[in-house]
Amino acid sequence: MRTADIDRILKKHDYKKSALIPILQDIQAGHRWLPMETLKYVSEKLDIPLIDVYSLATFYKSFSLKPRGKHVVTACCGTACHVRGGPKVLQELQNELHIGVDETTPDKTFTLETVRCLGACALGPLVVIDGKYHGQMNTKKVASTLKKYAKKKK
Amino acid sequence: MIEMTVDGIPVQVEEGSTVLDAVRFYGIEIPTLCHHDGLSEYGACRLCVVEIGKGENAKLVSSCTYPAEQGLFVRTNSQRVVSARKMLVELLVAMCPSSKTVQDLASAMEVTQVRFKVDRMNDCILCGLCVRMCEEQMMAKAIGFVNRGKNRKITTPFDLKSDVCRTCGGCLYICPACELRCQGPNADTDLCNACLNVQPVCLKEEDDKMCFLETCGWCYEELGRKKKKMEKK
């Protein structure tokens, strides 16, 4: 991410120290993840010790310090999804994408993540791709759903 | 001045002090681990737990972070407090059996067994002393807590050498886990308890006599004298 873009986001939030979380969220929305240089730059500009920025970024699961793909695939591993076959769906996702959990495909298209519960248990087993909920997922539907996103150019 | 009751004794303390300060000022002992004079209170180890309030409303709070209040009713050594403290020490031993500070606390509280799975690979008890030392006394802020839950640990940003660390060693100095326990014959056990395992020999003969008031071996001599008397008769 260019420093000009970060400066624009910082200016939008008035260089407020208290706005660290929204700033990091905006940076991640544009860049998909938080590189080390970006965190260092933000800590310098806001005059916050780097360790504070780093501990905040590692505390929240929604911040990623590893490169993410274009599409983030989130499989629910909550209790309701688990009993409805969530683990099988997760395994199918891993087989289809040839990656493990919290990994990104080499072509930087997909990132596979897990989540404990999204509160939409009636839709389980649930897979969320780029914020869109795909309910009643099963092993047969996995490949076709992923194919739709692989074609999409974002 | 604030008036409150500690272990049934009416006490007066200055405003703005914590319950721990007040209780310690009157000479009542409360064990602590993450409390350190000169550093801010953190309330991580919970060892300074005391019971406040009366009857059913009594609750356990950490005295190092609880401000002294007018009319507060504090109990520092009730059964509930003691059992809670023992459990906490057991948890600390399970987290870091190699620390002298933790083992000393366990011995002082007569903890003779640990009910939890002891982790020998882990050494940090996340008391936060080093983090506060670095920030408040050394003005560096080079280390801090990262991650959360069971992955929480203390480290530098990105696990790399920090730019602001001056390698002053303050964190090592204050760390309670870095000081190794006595490397005697019990060094590999979960609990040291060297002094607790020795059964006082005078216990059967002189039950009401507190043997620690006499010089060691006194009871043996006394026993010998008694035997001789019996033989003479």
Side-chain angles (χ1 to χ4, degrees):
Chain A
M1 198 173 198
R2 285 174 301 146
T3 46
D5 293 332
I6 303 170
D7 280 331
R8 192 168 40 78
I9 291 167
L10 289 169
K11 207 176 178 186
K12 186 181 141 199
H13 291 281
D14 238 1
Y15 290 88
K16 264 191 218 155
K17 284 184 188 180
S18 55
L20 182 59
I21 291 177
I23 287 168
L24 292 186
Q25 277 175 327
D26 284 356
I27 291 172
Q28 182 157 296
H31 194 247
R32 296 204 292 267
W33 65 291
L34 302 169
M36 182 165 81
E37 289 72 29
T38 311
L39 290 186
K40 278 185 179 169
Y41 186 76
V42 170
S43 103
E44 266 172 42
K45 284 282 165 183
L46 293 180
D47 195 24
I48 298 175
L50 181 61
I51 184 66
D52 283 353
V53 181
Y54 182 68
S55 63
L56 185 136
T58 52
F59 184 85
Y60 293 106
K61 214 185 167 185
S62 58
F63 292 128
S64 176
L65 295 170
K66 280 194 292 184
R68 271 173 165 174
K70 269 179 198 161
H71 307 291
V72 179
V73 183
T74 315
C76 182
C77 295
T79 314
C81 291
H82 184 92
V83 296
R84 284 169 175 227
K88 278 183 193 167
V89 172
L90 180 62
Q91 191 56 52
E92 183 63 22
L93 282 167
Q94 291 181 2
N95 292 346
E96 203 62 42
L97 298 169
H98 303 292
I99 50 168
V101 176
D102 287 331
E103 284 175 17
T104 306
T105 48
D107 60 351
K108 301 267 187 277
T109 319
F110 288 108
T111 297
L112 183 60
E113 286 178 359
T114 57
V115 70
R116 288 302 138 202
C117 184
L118 292 155
C121 303
L123 296 174
L126 192 60
V127 172
V128 183
I129 305 178
D130 293 345
K132 191 170 185 303
Y133 283 40
H134 297 267
Q136 323 280 333
M137 188 54 73
N138 56 41
T139 47
K140 284 173 192 164
K141 275 158 78 181
V142 165
S144 58
T145 316
L146 286 176
K147 213 171 261 179
K148 277 186 220 162
Y149 283 91
K151 281 180 192 169
K152 256 190 202 174
K153 276 177 186 171
K154 195 180 167 185
Chain B
M1 293 296 262
I2 297 169
E3 287 173 2
M4 49 189 234
T5 316
V6 177
D7 292 346
I9 309 160
V11 299
Q12 285 189 325
V13 293
E14 276 178 43
E15 271 177 52
S17 61
T18 62
V19 172
L20 181 70
D21 293 336
V23 171
R24 284 209 167 153
F25 180 76
Y26 281 91
I28 299 167
E29 206 174 315
I30 291 185
T32 51
L33 180 64
C34 73
H35 165 87
H36 206 276
D37 293 333
L39 298 178
S40 62
E41 304 297 353
Y42 189 59
C45 71
R46 317 305 286 183
L47 277 178
C48 62
V49 71
V50 292
E51 201 173 0
I52 58 162
K54 287 178 187 174
E56 281 184 3
N57 293 330
K59 59 175 181 178
L60 295 176
V61 297
S62 61
S63 61
C64 69
T65 51
Y66 202 89
E69 285 170 3
Q70 181 71 30
L72 199 66
F73 190 83
V74 183
R75 274 174 292 175
T76 63
N77 269 303
S78 64
Q79 197 153 21
R80 195 174 163 199
V81 169
V82 171
S83 64
R85 244 178 231 160
K86 276 194 174 180
M87 165 91 80
L88 287 164
V89 166
E90 280 177 49
L91 286 164
L92 284 172
V93 170
M95 253 180 128
C96 183
S98 59
S99 157
K100 178 178 168 12
T101 317
V102 172
Q103 290 291 346
D104 284 354
L105 282 166
S107 293
M109 277 179 233
E110 303 192 3
V111 173
T112 48
Q113 57 164 344
V114 180
R115 284 167 279 180
F116 308 101
K117 201 184 157 204
V118 176
D119 184 2
R120 302 209 142 266
M121 302 312 290
N122 180 29
D123 278 336
C124 184
I125 50 176
L126 299 171
C127 64
L129 275 171
C130 53
V131 176
R132 282 174 283 152
M133 182 75 164
C134 189
E135 181 185 357
E136 293 162 19
Q137 292 295 331
M138 299 308 168
M139 310 297 166
K141 204 136 204 239
I143 51 173
F145 291 101
V146 301
N147 297 331
R148 63 169 168 174
K150 67 177 171 49
N151 296 324
R152 197 162 180 245
K153 61 172 184 177
I154 292 171
T155 184
T156 51
F158 305 100
D159 293 338
L160 301 171
K161 193 183 176 305
S162 171
D163 297 336
V164 286
C165 175
R166 303 189 301 269
T167 59
C168 66
C171 43
L172 289 171
Y173 166 77
I174 205 153
C175 176
C178 291
E179 189 184 2
L180 280 182
R181 72 198 238 195
C182 161
Q183 296 295 301
N186 291 342
D188 290 333
T189 53
D190 294 343
L191 270 173
C192 170
N193 272 348
C195 305
L196 286 183
N197 289 336
V198 181
Q199 176 89 25
V201 280
C202 56
L203 210 64
K204 282 179 197 162
E205 289 288 319
E206 308 278 340
D207 200 13
D208 52 350
K209 192 97 185 170
M210 286 179 278
C211 67
F212 54 84
L213 291 177
E214 303 289 341
T215 51
C216 201
W218 165 86
C219 46
Y220 270 132
E221 290 168 19
E222 192 75 354
L223 268 175
R225 257 179 244 143
K226 273 187 183 172
K227 273 184 183 169
K228 272 180 188 172
K229 269 186 190 175
M230 295 282 278
E231 280 167 10
K232 272 181 187 176
K233 276 179 186 175

